[in-house]
Amino acid sequence: MDPVLLMFIVFAVTIFLGVPIAFCLILATIPPILMEPRLAEILLAQRIYNSLDSFVLLAVPFFLLAGNLMNASGVTERLIRYADARVGHIRGGIAHVNVFVSMLFAGVSGSSTADTAGVGSVLIPAMRSKGFSAPFSVAITAASSVLGTIIPPSITLVVWGAVTNTSVAQLFAAGIIPGILIAVSQVAYILFWCHRNGLSGAHEKAPKAERRAAFLAAAPGMLLPLILIGGIMFGIATPTEASVLAVVYALIIGFFVYLDLTPRAFWAELINSAKLVSLSLFCLGSAGLFAWLLTYYGVPQAIAGALTGVDSPLVLLTGIALVCLVLGLFLDALVIIIIIGPLFLPAVAASGIDPVQYGIVACVSLSLGLVTPPYGLCLLIASAIAKIGMHQAFAEMAKIFGVMLVVLALLILVPQLTTLPAALVR
């Protein structure tokens, strides 16, 4: 049997049996290694290690730790109060707060799942109390959490940069406009939904003094993304150095400014972050081994050869987006990035597509997998918070998903939305 076909059969069977993704990837690589005389078993360890042996990837655990520390320091609650004071009076009120907070939180954590859990636990019950249905509350929470993988600092963009050798600073710059566009599209949908259902969900406009107080309370937390993005984009610090600075800043904020972070909480967040990072990096290492074997057997070269006749950047990017959307239904974005990130690079270069646009289109497409079953991790977390089944929120989620697809189409049709911000970065 063809080794590549066998790899995919083993991978599909183990996923169907409910085996964790990281182990599915490793198990899928064992038969080809045993069958091929030129491949030694030691490759299992070597290739996994080599996949993680990257200075840029050091940013992943530090960004995650910084986000967890900021959350433990009460930043989430302060961001919610500020967002409520700012946009809570607009029709749709607390739903707009959900989107606005996700934008702010994305700049702190870089993780969509952390956004869903941290923001959703507060805002889903609040939306229900304002008359929003449980499915709509879940759908908006999950959809707005997608911003965590797009707006910098984004763990997804860090991994993409490391895998495809694309400037992380340029990816961060290019991710700002798409993130804002997705947020605006969600706000527009909320206004439409409220109008159609005759719901206000808003409160009286907060007094100027209250808005000022909420801003001052949230300002130390909101400074973090400005420091990080500014430092990276202007060449003051690398993404990895900036991630370490983020942890130091989070400790200063938690211990000396907000005074909410205790040594016990700090230790708990260290352990929690280590667990989450170990899962993510184990998946990355396993995917790296899987991707290396695909390269060994010439799969990327075959795909690149098949795409050499595709001269239209529009057609190629649309095809890549569709591949990412389909894979995102079943797999984690970080795993997909390791496998397909380098796969289309030759065809992308031959078509004259900017690698930054390629990265943003692919990452935005993959981020939508967080809200699409059966994987749909953010949708799953939000549904669990609301105590409803994922299927109950699917109809509302599908409508918001359609709105976000329009933004994805714009990113494909208008390269300047990503390439111009990237060009400003050193």
Side-chain angles (χ1 to χ4, degrees):
M1 181 179 290
D2 180 71
V4 175
L5 178 60
L6 184 59
M7 282 174 60
F8 283 105
I9 291 175
V10 173
F11 181 63
V13 170
T14 49
I15 283 183
F16 179 77
L17 294 174
V19 178
I21 293 295
F23 292 101
C24 292
L25 290 164
I26 290 179
L27 290 172
T29 62
I30 292 176
I33 289 177
L34 294 178
M35 292 168 58
E36 175 59 67
R38 291 173 293 179
L39 299 178
E41 289 80 0
I42 192 64
L43 279 172
L44 282 168
Q46 287 179 341
R47 299 314 308 182
I48 290 175
Y49 173 81
N50 289 343
S51 299
L52 301 176
D53 187 19
S54 168
F55 181 68
V56 174
L57 286 181
L58 278 176
V60 174
F62 286 113
F63 275 135
L64 189 58
L65 176 59
N68 286 341
L69 290 175
M70 294 289 274
N71 198 27
S73 301
V75 171
T76 304
E77 290 78 6
R78 289 174 173 87
L79 290 178
I80 289 174
R81 285 199 295 270
Y82 172 62
D84 190 41
R86 273 292 169 193
V87 300
H89 62 282
I90 303 173
R91 183 168 192 167
I94 194 69
H96 295 304
V97 171
N98 201 326
V99 176
F100 192 27
V101 169
S102 291
M103 286 187 66
L104 298 175
F105 195 84
V108 173
S109 72
S111 168
S112 290
T113 52
D115 184 351
T116 308
V119 175
S121 59
V122 177
L123 288 183
I124 288 178
M127 287 183 67
R128 297 296 311 279
S129 69
K130 294 288 186 180
F132 291 95
S133 66
F136 182 78
S137 303
V138 166
I140 284 295
T141 301
S144 63
S145 298
V146 166
L147 297 172
T149 63
I150 302 168
I151 293 179
S154 161
I155 291 173
T156 302
L157 294 180
V158 169
V159 175
W160 182 274
V163 170
T164 62
N165 199 28
T166 306
S167 166
V168 175
Q170 291 187 330
L171 288 171
F172 277 8
I176 296 174
I177 291 178
I180 293 173
L181 288 175
I182 289 176
V184 169
S185 71
Q186 292 172 359
V187 166
Y189 181 76
I190 291 169
L191 290 171
F192 167 77
W193 190 93
C194 290
H195 176 75
R196 188 185 62 182
N197 290 276
L199 183 67
S200 172
H203 56 64
E204 292 294 325
K205 187 172 183 178
K208 189 173 182 180
E210 183 180 333
R211 296 199 303 269
R212 185 186 300 112
F215 172 76
L216 291 175
M222 291 190 294
L223 273 176
L224 176 59
L226 295 178
I227 294 172
L228 293 179
I229 298 168
I232 294 171
M233 289 176 59
F234 291 105
I236 300 172
T238 66
T240 302
E241 292 165 348
S243 68
V244 176
L245 290 175
V247 172
V248 174
Y249 183 81
L251 289 173
I252 293 172
I253 291 295
F255 280 122
F256 305 110
V257 179
Y258 289 149
L259 306 177
D260 288 338
L261 188 64
T262 64
R264 182 185 294 273
F266 171 59
W267 180 249
E269 293 306 327
L270 275 178
I271 295 174
N272 184 41
S273 299
K275 290 178 180 177
L276 291 174
V277 167
S278 64
L279 291 173
S280 299
L281 293 186
F282 186 35
C283 279
L284 287 180
S286 305
L289 171 62
F290 191 90
W292 182 85
L293 271 177
L294 290 180
T295 303
Y296 177 82
Y297 285 111
V299 174
Q301 296 88 326
I303 293 177
L307 292 173
T308 50
V310 180
D311 296 325
S312 169
L314 177 61
V315 173
L316 181 58
L317 275 179
T318 302
I320 291 172
L322 289 173
V323 169
C324 292
L325 286 170
V326 172
L327 291 178
L329 295 172
F330 309 101
L331 298 172
D332 182 81
L334 299 185
V335 173
I336 301 171
I337 286 171
I338 295 290
I339 296 173
I340 75 158
L343 205 61
F344 295 108
L345 277 177
V348 166
S351 297
I353 298 171
D354 190 291
V356 173
Q357 185 193 14
Y358 166 47
I360 294 298
V361 167
C363 288
V364 170
S365 303
L366 291 174
S367 71
L368 298 184
L370 292 167
V371 297
T372 50
Y375 178 71
L377 190 56
C378 287
L379 184 60
L380 178 64
I381 293 172
S383 299
I385 293 172
K387 298 180 180 177
I388 65 172
M390 187 191 294
H391 64 281
Q392 293 175 266
F394 182 72
E396 289 291 354
M397 188 66 256
K399 298 168 188 173
I400 305 175
F401 183 81
V403 172
M404 293 192 290
L405 280 181
V406 173
V407 176
L408 177 60
L410 277 176
L411 298 179
I412 295 173
L413 292 169
V414 188
Q416 292 80 7
L417 292 174
T418 52
T419 56
L420 289 182
L424 300 176
V425 177
R426 295 179 184 178

